[in-house]
Amino acid sequence: MTSPVSAVQQSDVPPGGTAFGALLRSLRRAARLTLEELSEASGVSVRALGDLERGRSRGPQRRTVEALAAALRLDAEQGGRLRRLAEAGRDRGGPPVSPYLLRTVPDFTGRRQELADLEALATGTRTRAAVLFGPGGQGKTTLAAEAVRRLAGAFPDGSVCVQLHGMSDSPLPASEALVLLLTALGHPADRIPVDPVAREAVYRAVLAGRRTLVVLDDAADETQTRPLLPDAEGSFVLITSRRPLAGLEGVRRIRLGGLSGGESTRLLERILGAPRTDGQLEAITRLTELCGHLPLALRIVGNRLSSRPNWTPAHLVSQLADEGRRLSGLVAGDLAVRGALALSYGQLTPSHRLLLRRLSLVPGHDTGPGLAAVLTGEDPLTTEDSLHLLVDRGLLEETAPGRYALHDLVRLFTRERLEDEEEAAPPVHLRMADWLLRSAATAGRLFEAPGAPEPWPGEPAPFTPGSAEEAEEWLTAERSNWAGALPLMFAAGRHQEILHASRSLYWFSDRWCQWPEWRTLFSHGARSAAALGDRAAEAHQLNCLAWAHSVGACRYEEAEHLARQALESASETGDLDQQAWAWAYISGACMGQGRPSEAAESAARATRLFETTGDSTGRAVSQRVLGTALRGSGRAEEALALHRALLGTRPGDVPGLTEFVAALLRCETAKDLLALERWSEAAQAFRAVGTPSAHAGIDRLRAHTSLGLATALEHCGDPAGAREHYALARALFTSFGDTASVAEAAAGVERTRE
């Protein structure tokens, strides 16, 4: 066995040739030339050629290399490789060297799980190769170098590395990579076969008798790497690539994403040192966010600050905060995020570049194939195939099955490309926005009560769900997108379409009352109604907006203000129904602000108006609020009687609400018993509330039920049970941002610990 070879820790190669000599001999044989014939064609003596091929002469002069390239009729790619190896031989001045060196960095940070996985794979007996893949800038090569350093003890025959130049215009062919690897492994240059298949067999035979770690850095595709894989136990191949190389058999794949927030912060701290980062945690954290936790971007930021001693992290934050300047700011010497992204972008076909550019128009975080197809005009199946390809190329992330997102920095890059390469962005914007609102309105109609608006006039709906479940799934997945379409439609003066979508989604909104998108929808609805001069529609939209602020966000002051605006508009038009809803929302807002007497008066007004209009749903809502206000005013017996009476009635004709409203009333009844200090009855009533699964408000209901049950159990002498439910209530109220209830639950947890 030949002596160990390590491309990281030592540069010596066993006698028998150099990479330049092996490549020259391979090219000569491929051209079917003898030494004498090549000598005659190039003007280089036979003896000099022999010395070059045997490695006795490692770095020929440039004119010699040019003469050889011309005589062998090499293309630009082959000639370039021959020149690079000759330059490497001239520069090193020592013994023959391995083809490529991986450089470790002293401030390597993170990737603990990936390193553990690689160690388990490399030291196991089943898997003989692993692919580290991910977008450009994730630090794949740096991680590979660290893995080689840590695994040195597991591979007594050393490590060899070859740069495959997969992202260049001329990736290294597998046949030439085999020459470099065999040379580095100490195989005699004059015994490397010309035939690629035979060369591959020799390579595997050499590896079969060793425990060597082979690193194939920057692989282009499966064709380039498959001939370089081992087929026996002992040696292990680690491949880095921007693609998962899904066609390779018997390999494990490890995808690299961004660093965690803590890892990103530690990396910057290690690059800069304590004197530059002490007391700068907020600015450092913000820098990691602006970098999208991309290792390359973090390295650039750290290097920029290191080279500017007078700059503070906060100063660089101010520069990078501007999205239009961010990519230009993420440059340090020859390191540039834009350049790394441009390499991947440049290798795409025109149609894939078009899709990638236009994905930057999507207003939300991610999207599905349907919306992506609208952006390009392709059919959804073709578009889905293209999305998968972009994921494989590391330019797109699949956040969930069928959902695709751009990394923040990729979005900025593709937005630049869109502005530079296209002039038709505004029509695409509107086509996308129109499709989104039409689809949202169509899906929302499946949840509407009688009297809902007619379908969208004009063209058939672009998206037609087959069921309420499918509609809800789409509305949920695309909610940031259809909400993001509203400003685009408003700017284009498409007010009727906005109002139609808002009305169509009116009853669906009650299923997911905490979505912030409702505030966006109803505020644009109110503004569109005002722009059209439709005071009746404005009253309705203002009431909806008041509901979204009160029920969805506990912003009771804003809710009351909006409801009173709605009351004014509805009074001007004589709309009794919207006047009733305005009083109902005023009542709820007053309760939220601790004014139960005013809340009771407003709820009573709403109830009388709903009785006049015959709106049984509104009447049920206002009476429930009236009962709550009565209890808050110290009239718990009246509240209990009212809530129990409501439990025996139908709460209205709104699809999907009957079960949920009944649960709400059972909870209110239990709260009434709690206010009357009927502790055991209250505990029993809270346990009987139930948890209807068909409504998104269930978590808020669970929060109030848990808090009430905890209170009842505490008074019943069960501190352990009370503490459990106080803790659950605290967690739920925290997620809603209900600080007053959080404080009440937290106090209960502390009390029951004593």
Side-chain angles (χ1 to χ4, degrees):
M1 183 182 299
T2 58
S3 59
V5 179
S6 172
V8 173
Q9 298 190 20
Q10 65 181 47
S11 59
D12 289 8
V13 182
T18 65
F20 177 87
L23 181 58
L24 176 61
R25 186 172 185 272
S26 174
L27 293 171
R28 176 176 65 78
R29 286 187 172 186
R32 299 182 181 277
L33 296 175
T34 65
L35 282 174
E36 290 76 10
E37 288 170 335
L38 179 56
S39 174
E40 183 178 351
S42 65
V44 180
S45 70
V46 173
R47 180 177 179 179
L49 289 173
D51 287 344
L52 286 172
E53 289 193 3
R54 286 189 293 271
R56 294 175 180 172
S57 176
R58 298 177 299 98
Q61 297 301 310
R62 290 183 177 84
R63 62 178 178 273
T64 302
V65 179
E66 296 301 331
L68 292 172
L72 292 167
R73 298 182 180 180
L74 302 182
D75 59 25
E77 177 184 337
Q78 293 172 318
R81 291 199 188 94
L82 200 64
R83 294 182 191 95
R84 285 195 294 272
L85 289 176
E87 290 171 2
R90 289 195 297 271
D91 291 344
R92 288 185 176 109
V97 297
S98 57
Y100 183 58
L101 300 178
L102 282 179
R103 184 178 65 86
T104 59
V105 293
D107 49 24
F108 183 88
T109 303
R111 305 301 191 195
R112 183 174 303 173
Q113 185 59 54
E114 291 87 347
L115 285 167
D117 291 343
L118 285 174
E119 182 177 4
L121 292 171
T123 57
T125 58
R126 299 183 60 126
T127 304
R128 304 318 312 147
V131 179
L132 281 177
F133 75 97
Q138 295 290 5
K140 297 179 289 294
T141 300
T142 302
L143 175 56
E146 183 68 15
V148 170
R149 185 183 72 80
R150 297 191 185 195
L151 292 170
F155 295 95
D157 293 314
S159 60
V160 292
C161 313
V162 64
Q163 167 62 264
L164 297 179
H165 300 287
M167 293 307 297
S168 72
D169 294 333
S170 54
L172 184 73
S175 60
E176 294 186 23
L178 285 168
V179 172
L180 299 179
L181 287 168
L182 283 168
T183 303
L185 289 165
H187 191 76
D190 57 357
R191 293 174 57 189
I192 297 177
V194 174
D195 178 65
V197 176
R199 190 179 295 175
E200 184 179 336
V202 170
Y203 166 72
R204 291 203 171 102
V206 170
L207 285 182
R210 307 183 181 200
R211 280 194 59 78
T212 301
L213 176 58
V214 179
V215 180
L216 308 176
D217 191 31
D218 190 19
D221 53 33
E222 293 87 344
T223 302
Q224 186 190 34
T225 52
R226 188 176 284 110
L228 310 180
L229 299 179
D231 60 0
E233 293 183 7
S235 294
F236 184 81
V237 172
L238 175 57
I239 307 165
T240 71
S241 178
R242 295 197 183 188
R243 307 178 189 181
L245 307 184
L248 292 182
E249 310 87 354
V251 305
R252 287 287 297 275
R253 294 169 181 84
I254 299 175
R255 188 185 191 281
L256 288 194
L259 298 176
S260 68
E263 290 171 338
S264 299
T265 299
R266 285 195 296 275
L267 177 57
L268 284 183
E269 289 174 341
R270 295 186 69 182
I271 294 173
L272 295 172
R276 296 289 299 278
T277 58
D278 285 349
Q280 298 288 321
L281 181 58
E282 183 177 350
I284 292 290
T285 301
R286 181 58 180 148
L287 279 177
T288 66
E289 294 168 351
L290 293 172
C291 290
H293 304 290
L294 184 73
L296 174 61
L298 294 165
R299 174 71 58 186
I300 289 170
V301 163
N303 289 0
R304 286 196 69 189
L305 288 172
S306 296
S307 64
R308 300 287 198 282
N310 294 327
W311 283 16
T312 64
H315 174 75
L316 192 52
V317 166
S318 66
Q319 289 190 5
L320 299 180
D322 182 352
E323 288 190 348
R325 299 174 54 198
R326 190 172 305 162
L327 288 179
S328 296
L330 290 175
V331 177
D334 61 348
L335 297 178
V337 170
R338 186 186 281 114
L341 296 175
L343 283 175
S344 294
Y345 181 77
Q347 292 191 338
L348 299 175
T349 65
S351 62
H352 292 140
R353 287 199 294 267
L354 176 69
L355 173 59
L356 187 66
R357 288 195 303 271
R358 292 191 175 178
L359 285 174
S360 68
L361 298 174
V362 173
H365 173 66
D366 60 8
T367 185
L371 176 55
V374 172
L375 293 170
T376 61
E378 294 275 3
D379 66 274
L381 291 178
T382 300
T383 301
E384 189 164 19
D385 289 341
S386 297
L387 291 168
H388 288 313
L389 181 140
L390 292 175
V391 170
D392 285 347
R393 297 295 177 87
L395 290 166
L396 202 59
E397 300 175 14
E398 190 169 12
T399 55
R403 302 297 301 176
Y404 305 90
L406 292 169
H407 185 278
D408 289 346
L409 296 180
V410 177
R411 183 185 294 274
L412 295 180
F413 173 80
T414 53
R415 192 176 295 164
E416 287 183 351
R417 295 293 89 223
L418 182 73
E419 293 172 356
D420 289 347
E421 299 177 31
E422 294 191 47
E423 297 180 357
V428 175
H429 265 103
L430 285 180
R431 185 172 71 211
M432 171 188 68
D434 181 83
W435 184 88
L436 283 165
L437 281 201
R438 282 177 178 269
S439 299
T442 302
R445 281 184 55 78
L446 295 181
F447 303 92
E448 292 171 348
E454 294 298 317
W456 193 299
E459 301 176 3
F463 167 74
T464 307
S467 64
E469 291 76 15
E470 185 181 350
E472 185 162 21
E473 181 181 352
W474 187 92
L475 286 167
T476 302
E478 299 287 357
R479 62 186 174 123
S480 61
N481 290 322
W482 55 254
L486 292 163
L488 299 173
M489 295 288 277
F490 187 87
R494 305 281 289 275
H495 303 305
Q496 291 286 6
E497 289 94 331
I498 290 174
L499 277 176
H500 188 277
S502 181
R503 289 166 174 158
S504 299
L505 290 165
Y506 174 68
W507 285 113
F508 176 75
S509 65
D510 192 69
R511 298 172 65 85
W512 297 94
C513 57
Q514 294 167 46
W515 286 2
E517 285 79 11
W518 301 129
R519 297 193 291 278
T520 303
L521 175 65
F522 296 132
S523 64
H524 279 87
R527 292 169 62 198
S528 289
L532 294 169
D534 188 338
R535 294 287 279 169
E538 186 178 7
H540 178 238
Q541 294 298 301
L542 286 169
N543 268 329
C544 293
L545 187 56
W547 167 85
H549 277 78
S550 178
V551 176
C554 301
R555 299 177 179 176
Y556 300 114
E557 290 186 17
E558 295 99 317
E560 182 180 3
H561 176 70
L562 290 163
R564 291 193 183 279
Q565 284 185 287
L567 180 62
E568 181 181 350
S569 296
S571 298
E572 289 180 11
T573 59
D575 188 335
L576 295 181
D577 192 56
Q578 290 306 314
Q579 289 179 47
W581 280 111
W583 281 115
Y585 294 135
I586 290 170
S587 175
C590 288
M591 279 299 298
Q593 296 175 83
R595 291 151 48 196
S597 297
E598 292 179 56
E601 181 181 347
S602 299
R605 286 192 177 191
T607 298
R608 290 193 294 271
L609 286 170
F610 281 129
E611 288 172 346
T612 300
T613 61
D615 187 339
S616 59
T617 298
R619 181 173 177 273
V621 170
S622 63
Q623 284 188 304
R624 179 171 58 81
V625 177
L626 174 58
T628 303
L630 289 172
R631 183 178 67 241
S633 302
R635 299 156 65 184
E637 289 285 2
E638 295 177 60
L640 179 61
L642 178 56
H643 286 141
R644 281 179 168 170
L646 288 171
L647 274 170
T649 63
R650 182 179 177 84
D653 299 316
V654 182
L657 280 184
T658 302
E659 183 185 3
F660 181 70
V661 170
L664 286 176
L665 287 170
R666 287 194 293 271
C667 184
E668 293 298 337
T669 300
K671 288 182 178 181
D672 297 334
L673 291 168
L674 202 65
L676 292 169
E677 299 184 356
R678 291 155 64 173
W679 310 119
S680 59
E681 289 181 71
Q684 184 178 358
F686 277 120
R687 287 194 172 102
V689 167
T691 54
S693 58
H695 197 286
I698 185 62
D699 283 342
R700 190 177 290 271
L701 175 61
R702 285 177 60 213
H704 284 282
T705 301
S706 296
L707 183 60
L709 178 56
T711 305
L713 291 174
E714 183 180 1
H715 285 86
C716 288
D718 182 4
R723 184 165 59 254
E724 176 185 350
H725 288 283
Y726 276 133
L728 175 59
R730 180 178 59 183
L732 290 169
F733 281 123
T734 298
S735 68
F736 309 141
D738 188 339
T739 55
S741 297
V742 169
E744 183 179 352
V749 170
E750 292 303 316
R751 276 197 315 274
T752 52
R753 279 178 179 162
E754 298 174 357

